[in-house]
Amino acid sequence: MSGGIGGWDLVTAGLGCHLLFALLRALVQGEVLCIGETCKMQVYVLTTWAGECWAHVFFLTWIVLALGYAMYVTLRIWFRA
């Protein structure tokens, strides 16, 4: 292994940043885009769809934390002395 950051790590970092932005947008504006194939990009507003909105916010939080931990472990393995 030559070290450094590979292509998949950049894709994972980009996806993580996009999901973090979506999470922060959901928390600030009180609305979140539906995640999934059946909802066709429906927007859940906190005042109208509280359960679905919080479910998607917690899902986004879990995914962002999982991607962040995966990147942390990958970088720790690559750059250990």
Side-chain angles (χ1 to χ4, degrees):
M1 180 178 283
S2 64
I5 297 178
W8 284 111
D9 293 320
L10 294 177
V11 170
T12 304
L15 180 63
C17 289
H18 174 73
L19 291 174
L20 180 63
F21 177 76
L23 174 65
L24 293 175
R25 181 175 177 252
L27 291 175
V28 170
Q29 292 183 350
E31 62 184 23
V32 64
L33 287 174
C34 179
I35 303 168
E37 195 173 292
T38 59
C39 55
K40 307 278 194 255
M41 299 301 287
Q42 179 179 351
V43 175
Y44 287 126
V45 181
L46 183 59
T47 56
T48 307
W49 300 91
E52 288 82 358
C53 184
W54 283 115
H56 286 286
V57 167
F58 288 137
F59 178 75
L60 282 173
T61 303
W62 184 83
I63 291 295
V64 167
L65 289 175
L67 286 174
Y69 183 71
M71 289 294 296
Y72 169 75
V73 169
T74 301
L75 293 176
R76 287 285 291 185
I77 290 171
W78 278 358
F79 295 116
R80 65 181 165 193

